Amino acid sequence: MIHAILTRLDAAGPPVLGTLARLTFALTLAGYFWASALTKLEGAGLSLNAYAQIFPRAMEAAGYDVTQLTLFHTAIVAAGMLAEFVLPALLLLGLATRLAALGMIGFIIVQTLTDLIGHGALSQPATLGAWFDRVPDSAILDQRLLWVTVLLVPVFTGPGPLSLDRLIARRAQSQTAFAA
């Protein structure tokens, strides 16, 4: 009896975990990233704030004059802003889920490096935090580890049954079966 229950739990695990991870991301982080993306917009263009967030040292060196920066800087800022809008939306919908989750993990790594190096968080122990210190709320090490862990779940388990990925796969499978 217990073996049968454990076998069913093992089988149900990946679909349930994929859906729960996407739901957890939607409830806790999607709004954060969308709000951050909105701070990078001013009218129909990129805001001064966007450049200052992503390239703090370059902006300071340029006297906060965006025209002193290169096309490379503008492309990176635009790509970062788009990623903050598009990747959470894809995760929420369960569309290209594994790729979107990997993209968000990459984004979080770049965001963390920008905070550590560009904004000088390496010299701020309270913000940086430390693993195994029994203080679970440091903004960088602890929180970002949890974010990445939540995003790794759909990378390894898939999006779960409540996703556009699953709907598309079912339709493709039924069309293949129908054609055969």
Side-chain angles (χ1 to χ4, degrees), residues 41-52:
L41 290 175
E42 188 172 294
L46 297 169
S47 70
L48 177 69
N49 187 39
Y51 290 90

Side-chain angles (χ1 to χ4, degrees), residues 47-57 59 64 77 114 119:
S47 70
L48 177 69
N49 187 39
Y51 290 90
Q53 284 180 35
I54 297 174
F55 293 108
R57 291 184 180 181
M59 283 296 289
Y64 294 93
V77 170
T114 300
H119 293 287

